[in-house]
Amino acid sequence: FDDPTHGYANFVDQSTARTKGLLETDNQTVTLRADSTNVATGRGRDSLRLTSKAKYNHGLIVVDLAHMPGNACGVWPAFWTTGPDWPSSGEIDILEGVNLQAGNHMTMHTSEGCSLVGSSCFAHKGCTAKGGAFGDGFNLNKGGTYATEWTSDGIKMWFFSSGQEPKDILGESPDPTKWANPISNFQGGSNCNIDSHFKDQQIVFDTTFCGDWAGREWSKDNVCSVKAPTCEEYVQNNPKAFTEAYWTINALKVYEFDDSSTSPESDQQPKPSIPIATSLPQPSDSPSSESIQASAPSSLVTTSAEQPSETTAPSVPLVTSYIDGGPITVTLNPGSMVTQIITAEPVTVTLPPGVPIPQQKQVQDGTSAQESHRVDCPDDSESTTESRKKDRRNWRFRRHLAEHLRNGGGHYS
């Protein structure tokens, strides 16, 4: 059927998706693909839109991805939630971007009367924060985990690179108050009543093309606009450009607040859960280097290394880390070297003595400063930690993607 965001995509049903190889499931992962073989016809390029049957009011949504659609001209992937009668019931965009965008955009869309992060969230304009990995940068690091906590007080989001996840994030009762600061904090209050503007949300995975966002940006993009006169023409005639346009989902869990538990120390236990992945990366409580714990998407550092000796100092992950927009300090294992730095804005890089600084490549972000808003999270000071402890939510497992699929739940569109 047609894409409601006016994209150049033909969303196929589950049977068609399996027949054409666009849907793959096994005991460990679920993969959702867009067609990358045929010249598109009719509505557009065959693709998938997976929507939950269940509707949610508050919750902790955790998605562990091994791969997301990579950067390509015309592509518009998103992991998000939406309510009925848009925008009256709200929309929460958790992982979204278009074309060659370097970092993730998190956006709230609401009816009139809601302002978050200093901007009205009304309808298509929305209010946006930036943070976390996206596209090629996300995939280069073998994926990662996004978590979204939605309460009456506000909507917070976290991103953790693969191998850097808190140990409890996919457990039976995760505790976000013990995690690093969120990469975005859409705080409700007098400017926005969260419960009035966000309700009955369904969870959506989709990969569309062109449409209201990617198509609108086509003529503004100096790289994409020279490939074809229009976004639709490029997407139609270049199937091989979309070989990386697929999601591979290790786990998707939704936790609900356990009202029967009145304190963190309650004996009430959450219901057990069954992860899709039988083997997840061994997580740690914090990144390996404090200097890379910031979470905005302004920079991507790529390193390579030989096998470290037994007496190595702490090191950055050997693939990628997203760094905040300020100066970057990189600590490396002996024998390591920095091979690439990709930035969405100019940064200052400090490397150990004797390590050459590679050429910086600036990647356009896809949205102008006038159209976006950055959230600055507070330092994890003692007072902040205490405040977060008071805000603790005891989340209980609610829904699970693999269980939906095994039982015929969820619908493919």
Side-chain angles (χ1 to χ4, degrees):
F1 67 89
D2 291 331
D3 175 13
T5 61
H6 309 107
Y8 185 65
N10 177 43
F11 292 130
V12 302
D13 60 30
Q14 183 173 358
S15 175
T16 303
R18 286 194 181 277
T19 299
K20 292 190 172 186
L22 305 184
L23 168 65
E24 301 172 14
T25 59
D26 57 33
N27 292 329
Q28 295 187 9
T29 61
V30 176
T31 298
L32 312 173
R33 297 182 182 276
D35 173 68
S36 60
T37 304
N38 305 295
V39 171
T41 59
R43 291 189 182 97
R45 184 157 298 285
D46 286 351
S47 190
L48 298 182
R49 176 173 169 134
L50 176 64
T51 304
S52 69
K53 289 183 177 179
K55 297 180 179 180
Y56 301 96
N57 289 282
H58 297 174
L60 177 67
I61 302 169
V62 181
V63 61
D64 174 12
L65 300 170
H67 189 280
M68 71 166 291
N71 294 108
C73 291
V75 73
W76 178 5
F79 173 65
W80 52 299
T81 74
T82 187
D85 190 25
W86 190 93
S88 298
S89 300
E91 173 182 328
I92 304 170
D93 297 328
I94 300 168
L95 177 56
E96 184 182 31
V98 297
N99 299 330
L100 306 179
Q101 183 176 306
N104 179 40
H105 285 198
M106 300 159 285
T107 304
M108 306 293 117
H109 299 274
T110 68
S111 55
E112 292 186 281
C114 175
S115 294
L116 297 167
V117 294
S119 174
S120 169
C121 302
F122 179 56
H124 291 284
K125 182 177 184 296
C127 44
T128 299
K130 300 178 184 180
F134 178 84
D136 289 347
F138 182 91
N139 299 330
L140 190 61
N141 200 28
K142 300 182 180 179
T145 300
Y146 276 92
T148 301
E149 183 188 55
W150 166 27
T151 71
S152 296
D153 298 328
I155 298 169
K156 300 177 182 179
M157 299 184 188
W158 289 261
F159 170 69
F160 301 97
S161 297
S162 179
Q164 303 297 318
E165 307 91 341
K167 292 179 179 179
D168 68 342
I169 198 166
L170 287 170
E172 294 183 356
S173 186
D175 181 6
T177 66
K178 295 180 179 179
W179 303 348
N181 284 325
I183 58 176
S184 67
N185 185 355
F186 296 92
Q187 193 68 30
S190 59
N191 292 327
C192 185
N193 184 308
I194 296 295
D195 289 343
S196 296
H197 289 282
F198 298 93
K199 50 186 175 287
D200 296 330
Q201 297 285 295
Q202 293 174 278
I203 300 172
V204 182
F205 280 98
D206 78 295
T207 304
T208 189
F209 303 91
C210 305
D212 293 337
W213 188 5
R216 185 190 69 207
E217 297 296 320
W218 188 264
S219 62
K220 306 174 188 177
D221 191 305
N222 294 331
V223 176
C224 295
S225 60
V226 300
K227 293 179 179 290
T230 67
C231 180
E232 290 79 6
E233 185 174 335
Y234 179 77
V235 172
Q236 177 183 20
N237 296 306
N238 294 275
K240 297 301 181 184
F242 307 108
T243 55
E244 291 296 309
Y246 67 91
W247 301 89
T248 298
I249 307 159
N250 292 328
L252 170 60
K253 290 189 178 183
V254 179
Y255 300 81
E256 65 181 348
F257 181 64
D258 184 1
D259 293 322
S260 65
S261 175
T262 57
S263 71
E265 291 74 31
S266 170
D267 291 333
Q268 180 69 33
Q269 294 296 317
K271 298 175 183 177
S273 56
I274 310 170
I276 291 177
T278 58
S279 177
L280 294 175
Q282 292 299 315
S284 61
D285 287 327
S286 61
S288 56
S289 172
E290 193 172 18
S291 65
I292 63 167
Q293 194 165 340
S295 48
S298 53
S299 305
L300 173 64
V301 174
T302 305
T303 69
S304 66
E306 300 172 355
Q307 288 296 323
S309 66
E310 295 181 359
T311 58
T312 58
S315 63
V316 296
L318 297 183
V319 187
T320 60
S321 293
Y322 272 84
I323 316 292
D324 204 348
I328 300 172
T329 301
V330 179
T331 304
L332 301 171
N333 280 320
S336 299
M337 61 178 291
V338 175
T339 59
Q340 186 181 38
I341 297 176
I342 302 175
T343 67
E345 59 191 45
V347 295
T348 301
V349 180
T350 302
L351 296 172
V355 178
I357 298 177
Q359 181 180 2
Q360 292 191 33
K361 175 184 177 184
Q362 192 159 341
V363 179
Q364 68 184 102
D365 187 75
T367 301
S368 67
Q370 289 74 21
E371 295 175 317
S372 64
H373 300 274
R374 168 98 171 262
V375 173
D376 292 317
C377 296
D379 292 333
D380 196 9
S381 61
E382 194 171 311
S383 60
T384 303
T385 302
E386 289 304 313
S387 173
R388 288 167 62 197
K389 284 182 179 178
K390 293 178 182 178
D391 243 357
R392 174 170 178 162
R393 296 293 190 271
N394 180 15
W395 295 108
R396 170 179 286 185
F397 173 67
R398 174 78 179 270
R399 288 287 186 269
H400 188 260
L401 181 62
E403 191 172 1
H404 276 309
L405 295 173
R406 285 195 295 269
N407 298 333
H411 61 265
Y412 287 87
S413 31

